[in-house]
Amino acid sequence: MCLIITGKSSQVRATLLDTKGMLKDIYTSNSDGIGFMYATKDGLKVIKHLPKSEADATACIKRMPTDDREIAIHFRMTTHGDTDLTNCHPYDVIPGYVAMMHNGVLHTGNKADPSKSDTWHFIKDYLASPVAEHPDLIFNDSFLTMVADYIDNNRFVFMNGEGRMSHVNFEQGVEHDGMWFSNTYAWKPASLIPNYYSGVSKGWKYKNYAAWDDAEYAYDYTNNISGIRPLAMTSAHSAHDANYDEGAYEWKDSDSAGMDVIVKAVVDVDVDTVSRMLNEYPDVMLPALFDAMTPVECKGNGAHDMSTKEKYLLDLVIEQNVEELIEYAYSTMAAPQILAEVICYYCDWLFVEQSM
């Protein structure tokens, strides 16, 4: 699902090159293109590269300026369109003057040209004309708010030829040491931020419950998955917050409240919350969801340009294939987000008593 990083070029460059394992982690999950944009005395500079290895990615990062000018860098994982330089971010909005990066998945007009990405289509269909007529729209709070409301769980970054930058859905990302990261699922924040919860579900995947600290988590662990009941939780900080602390999450033995949290997130199409649940405890979340609700494929899915992976996951959800869905949720760092989008965007959900 890609990753965007913004900040001072020298700092972003040094962070990527000097933080042990960080670039390897990001590149492994987002290896379909690297691009960055920054201002020069001659206008906006855009560099795109299709690395074939971690060494290529490192060489690309070394081309970033070593001064303190603002920069935005994008690591791509292909969801729509070909994997080529044309679909590598950033994209021109006004050629030579305004460019844009995107993180997320957009479902508008993608069938017009299957070789092009969802970002390319969105710019062509919605942004190119108004921004060409009024370039400062990309810094207008009302315009950015309108775009944010429309794109929902997606992030945009704009930059013009003077190096002025704006973000859409800035709050969906996480800040650290003057840098902004567009998500926490396409990389391991713990590689950079000490004690940041990485999203790897320690005991859940391997059933190694003995390694957990029962006093800290106050939970009755069992090897019998069918015996685990839905849980409720309250948090001090969002997982997108730099101050996020796993220990701040309070687990409660409340069957009804736990079910309410899961059901509400799905009914509200709250992709971030569903993704977090799938990231942290898919073994609990998915069985509980299917106990409470039955998925039905959305009638409007034919209008969407679903990827092969999304269609495969949709079939698993409709079949309620819990075992394979849990296995997929653990497969990569990006998997919970992709599955959450399928659950929220491509399914209608009926309460069990309604589906009988």
Side-chain angles (χ1 to χ4, degrees):
M1 294 313 192
C2 310
L3 175 68
I4 305 171
I5 307 172
T6 65
K8 302 294 185 185
S9 183
S10 58
Q11 185 175 19
V12 174
R13 182 182 187 274
T15 299
L16 289 169
L17 293 176
D18 298 341
T19 305
K20 184 177 180 180
M22 183 178 180
L23 182 56
K24 179 180 180 180
D25 168 45
I26 294 173
Y27 172 72
T28 299
S29 298
N30 309 273
S31 58
D32 295 327
I34 299 175
F36 42 92
M37 56 186 178
Y38 57 89
T40 71
K41 62 182 179 62
D42 297 318
L44 187 64
K45 178 71 172 179
V46 168
I47 292 178
K48 299 184 180 185
H49 187 57
L50 297 177
K52 293 181 171 56
S53 65
E54 183 187 347
D56 281 353
T58 301
C60 181
I61 301 305
K62 288 181 177 179
R63 296 173 63 188
M64 294 171 63
T66 57
D67 56 27
D68 286 340
R69 76 186 79 187
E70 293 291 327
I71 199 167
I73 182 168
H74 184 283
F75 297 84
R76 184 182 184 219
M77 184 186 82
T78 301
T79 56
H80 295 87
D82 297 337
T83 299
D84 55 21
L85 284 177
T86 298
N87 288 312
C88 186
H89 300 233
Y91 287 83
D92 282 334
V93 181
I94 302 177
Y97 184 66
V98 173
M100 188 192 92
M101 295 174 173
H102 163 229
N103 171 214
V105 179
L106 297 164
H107 300 285
T108 53
N110 296 329
K111 287 187 176 181
D113 186 346
S115 71
K116 299 297 194 298
S117 75
D118 52 346
T119 312
W120 184 93
H121 286 94
F122 193 90
I123 292 172
K124 176 179 178 292
D125 294 342
Y126 299 101
L127 295 177
S129 177
V131 175
E133 293 181 13
H134 306 283
D136 283 344
L137 273 178
I138 62 171
F139 306 113
N140 181 284
D141 288 342
S142 296
F143 177 76
L144 296 178
T145 298
M146 179 183 68
V147 173
D149 289 344
Y150 187 76
I151 66 173
D152 195 24
N153 186 40
N154 287 267
R155 279 73 55 200
F156 290 168
V157 174
F158 294 98
M159 182 179 283
N160 70 7
E162 285 78 50
R164 188 179 176 194
M165 187 159 50
S166 65
H167 298 69
V168 177
N169 284 331
F170 182 89
E171 71 283 354
Q172 292 180 6
V174 60
E175 293 180 90
H176 176 71
D177 201 18
M179 296 174 289
W180 178 81
F181 299 81
S182 62
N183 65 64
T184 57
Y185 56 77
W187 65 299
K188 298 184 180 72
S191 65
L192 175 64
I193 308 170
N195 300 319
Y196 194 99
Y197 182 55
S198 67
V200 178
S201 301
K202 306 170 186 174
W204 291 109
K205 182 174 182 180
Y206 300 105
K207 310 298 184 292
N208 182 22
Y209 300 122
W212 289 61
D213 183 345
D214 290 344
E216 178 182 355
Y217 292 95
Y219 183 74
D220 181 19
Y221 297 102
T222 172
N223 285 317
N224 180 5
I225 292 297
S226 63
I228 300 178
R229 300 304 303 160
L231 302 172
M233 56 187 178
T234 58
S235 62
H237 293 282
S238 163
H240 289 301
D241 192 304
N243 295 317
Y244 174 84
D245 177 11
E246 180 187 359
Y249 277 74
E250 177 186 356
W251 298 91
K252 297 180 180 180
D253 295 321
S254 172
D255 291 354
S256 61
M259 186 71 77
D260 287 346
V261 171
I262 295 169
V263 169
K264 185 176 187 303
V266 172
V267 171
D268 290 349
V269 195
D270 186 350
V271 175
D272 281 345
T273 298
V274 174
S275 176
R276 177 169 54 79
M277 291 176 177
L278 290 169
N279 203 25
E280 296 175 3
Y281 49 95
D283 307 62
V284 175
M285 186 272 186
L286 287 165
L289 175 61
F290 291 126
D291 280 349
M293 306 181 80
T294 299
V296 178
E297 184 174 354
C298 290
K299 293 181 180 179
N301 280 350
H304 293 296
D305 182 18
M306 285 190 288
S307 67
T308 302
K309 182 181 294 182
E310 288 171 331
K311 291 177 182 176
Y312 167 72
L313 291 174
L314 177 60
D315 288 342
L316 292 182
V317 172
I318 298 302
E319 294 168 4
Q320 300 188 39
N321 191 329
V322 175
E323 184 176 347
E324 287 197 33
L325 288 170
I326 291 172
E327 183 177 352
Y328 175 77
Y330 284 122
S331 63
T332 68
M333 290 296 292
Q337 178 73 14
I338 299 172
L339 180 54
E341 290 174 356
V342 170
I343 287 172
C344 291
Y345 295 150
Y346 295 138
C347 297
D348 289 327
W349 291 87
L350 303 176
F351 286 98
V352 169
E353 57 269 21
Q354 291 180 316
S355 62
M356 293 180 176

